[in-house]
């Protein structure tokens, strides 16, 4: 299985708008995506109010590629969130069970 860690930092002043997108769109989308075994969304803490994350456990690399395409190493974002995001990162690991 593949562990995919996606992190986002919102633009200053866009935290509430991104939070709405995160809870109402992103979390339900990821939880309903074929090939994902588990989704662990992370909301900001007081010391880092602009940082959100997802830890996703994918069944396999083929499932991940079916969702994001061959360029799975790049952090893709939904067009609806593009104006809200300052930076993003993505990392992949083999899950150790």
């Amino acid at each position: 299985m593949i562990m995919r860690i996606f992190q986002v930092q919102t633009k200053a002043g866009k935290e509430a708008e991104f939070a709405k997108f995160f809870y109402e769109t992103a979390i339900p989308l990821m939880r309903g995506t074929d090939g994902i075994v588990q989704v662990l969304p992370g909301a900001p803490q007081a010391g880092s109010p602009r940082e959100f994350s997802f830890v996703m456990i994918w069944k396999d690399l083929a499932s991940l590629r079916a969702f994001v395409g061959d360029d799975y190493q790049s952090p893709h974002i939904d067009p609806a969130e593009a104006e809200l995001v300052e930076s993003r990162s993505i990392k992949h690991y083999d899950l150790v069970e």
Side-chain angles (χ1 to χ4, degrees), residues 25-34 36 39 54 56 58 67:
T25 303
I27 293 172
L29 171 70
M30 298 318 297
R31 286 190 171 147
T33 298
D34 287 338
I36 292 185
V39 175
F54 273 112
M56 296 161 276
W58 287 83
F67 181 69

Side-chain angles (χ1 to χ4, degrees), residues 16 18 37 51 62 65:
F18 185 85
V37 175
E51 296 177 10
R65 282 186 164 151

